[in-house]
Structure formats: C-alpha cells, structure tokens
Amino acid sequence: DFSGTVKRLSLYIMPQKNRLLAAGLLSIASTVIYVVGPKVMGKATTKLAEGVLAKYAYYMQLYSAIHNNMPLAYINQLRHRPIPSFDFGYIGRILLIMILLYIISALLRYATAYIMASVSQETVFQMRNDVKDKLDRLPLSYFDQRTHGEVLSRVTNDMDNIATTLQQSLTQLLTSLLTVVGILIMMLSISPLMTLIALFTLPASSMFTAVITRYSQRFFLQQQICIGELNGHI
C-alpha cells in the first residue's frame, strides 16, 4: 500500500516541514553549483586548446618558411617573434573559481545531510514512541501468536530502514533528480545534437531499472520477513 504508507509517513514528517524546505533549498543550490562546475572548467580547457593551436600555428608557419626557402630576413623575423604561450593567469583564476565552487557545494551538501539527519531521527523518535504506546495497548494474544524476534524486528530493523530512507535515500533522490535536469540543460546549451545522441540510451536504462526494481521490492519484503523469523528463532 504505497500511497497509504506515504500518507501516514507524511503525517510524521509534517512537523519538520520547515527543515525539509531548508534542506531542499540547500540541495538545489548545491546541485546547481555542482552542475555549473564543468561548464566553468570548460573555459580553462578552451584556453589550453587555444594555446596549443597558437603554438602549432607558429611552428608550422616557421617550418613552412624554411621549407619553401623564404628570405632569411623573413625567417629571422619569425624566429624573433614572441612564441605563443598559455595564459596561465586566466587558467589559474578559473581553477580558483572551480575550487571555491566545489568547496561551497560540499558545505551545502554537508548542511543538507546534517538537517536531514535531525529530521529523520526526530521523526523516527516519535514513531518509536507511538510503537511503544501501541505495544502497551496490544492484548496478550498478539504476543502469544508472534515470536519475540518478529516484534523486535518491527521496532528495530523496520525503524532503521525508515531512518535510512529519510536521511539518505530521500536526499539522494532529490539531488539525483536535480542533477539530471541540470546536466540536461547544460548539455543542450553546449550541443543539442550530442544531447539527443546521449538521450537514446535513457529509454533502455529506464526499462532495465523498472524490471530490476519490480524484483528487488519483492526480495526486500522477503528479506524483512526472514529477518523477523531469524530474530524470533534466536
């Protein structure tokens, strides 16, 4: 019951909505910086390529003058001309900007993880209290019909999975989605043709992921049942 589970989980998360909003905004900012980084790095790569091409053009011009027996004065003029070099000052500034961008992105990711950790722990804390209250109200027949391990599995393993989902998976889902959208925009701004070629692989990967997910959910459910039976046996 995915929709019912999400609704019940939302009731627990709602008191933390301000923190979730802050974590979402920080995650968006971090992802935007992370996506823009390669675009900035491309400027340094372009400047390096321009330096290589300038050197190549200079030496080819000198070689052509010597090979075609051009006047010695012209050849000496070429030899005394300043040899094109790389603009290391510009490249250095780009690298400093890159370092600054990635440091800011890392700090934003850390802040997002910190906020989500507090959200998940407080949410799970409330859920554990509700589970405790529910266990106190359950009749003895419930415990007679179930092993201690199955009950403990609900209180420990299932709660830990919820905490992991809120703390890691939810953030990763948002970050991954924003990263895909941001990278797609950057790819289109660089080369629409190359973007279309790369997008041909997405339908196949989506179908493959959907098949794996359908089986993995079934196995995950069986895994949780086995954990409860194992705890009960122990």
Side-chain angles (χ1 to χ4, degrees):
D1 185 14
F2 180 77
S3 60
T5 303
V6 170
K7 289 179 181 179
R8 294 182 64 185
L9 187 60
S10 300
L11 295 176
Y12 283 98
I13 299 177
M14 283 303 293
Q16 309 291 333
K17 59 182 179 181
N18 291 333
R19 291 184 181 181
L20 282 174
L21 179 61
L25 293 176
L26 291 174
S27 180
I28 292 173
S30 173
T31 305
V32 169
I33 295 174
Y34 181 80
V35 171
V36 171
K39 183 88 171 180
V40 178
M41 179 63 76
K43 296 182 179 180
T45 305
T46 301
K47 188 62 69 173
L48 284 172
E50 290 175 354
V52 172
L53 292 176
K55 280 180 175 290
Y56 176 77
Y58 169 79
Y59 285 115
M60 285 300 298
Q61 187 179 9
L62 182 61
Y63 171 79
S64 178
I66 297 173
H67 182 72
N68 295 322
N69 296 319
M70 299 294 289
L72 185 60
Y74 177 73
I75 296 175
N76 288 332
Q77 182 181 0
L78 289 177
R79 285 177 174 172
H80 289 89
R81 182 185 300 176
I83 300 176
S85 60
F86 298 104
D87 190 353
F88 288 108
Y90 177 84
I91 296 173
R93 289 193 295 272
I94 293 296
L95 293 178
L96 288 176
I97 293 174
M98 285 292 302
I99 292 173
L100 181 62
L101 286 176
Y102 283 124
I103 289 176
I104 294 174
S105 178
L107 291 175
L108 291 175
R109 287 176 183 270
Y110 175 81
T112 302
Y114 184 87
I115 294 174
M116 289 304 299
S118 63
V119 169
S120 64
Q121 293 303 317
E122 291 188 15
T123 302
V124 173
F125 176 75
Q126 182 60 43
M127 294 180 71
R128 290 185 190 277
N129 286 333
D130 291 346
V131 169
K132 176 185 175 300
D133 294 338
K134 181 64 178 293
L135 291 175
D136 292 339
R137 295 194 306 269
L138 288 173
L140 290 176
S141 59
Y142 176 86
F143 299 99
D144 292 337
Q145 296 171 2
R146 291 166 177 80
T147 61
H148 298 302
E150 183 178 349
V151 177
L152 288 174
S153 181
R154 293 288 187 94
V155 180
T156 56
N157 295 315
D158 292 353
M159 288 294 176
D160 289 340
N161 283 322
I162 293 175
T164 302
T165 300
L166 293 177
Q167 185 172 341
Q168 299 178 10
S169 303
L170 192 61
T171 306
Q172 291 174 358
L173 177 63
L174 178 61
T175 303
S176 300
L177 180 61
L178 293 173
T179 302
V180 169
V181 174
I183 290 176
L184 182 60
I185 294 173
M186 285 294 142
M187 290 172 63
L188 287 171
S189 67
I190 294 172
S191 174
L193 179 60
M194 292 181 64
T195 303
L196 291 175
I197 295 173
L199 289 178
F200 276 125
T201 61
L202 288 180
S205 62
S206 298
M207 293 174 59
F208 186 69
T209 303
V211 172
I212 291 179
T213 303
R214 185 165 62 249
Y215 286 101
S216 66
Q217 288 178 342
R218 188 187 311 162
F219 290 139
F220 180 77
L221 177 60
Q222 295 177 2
Q223 173 186 318
Q224 293 303 109
I225 294 173
C226 289
I227 289 175
E229 293 177 351
L230 177 63
N231 289 336
H233 178 71
I234 292 176

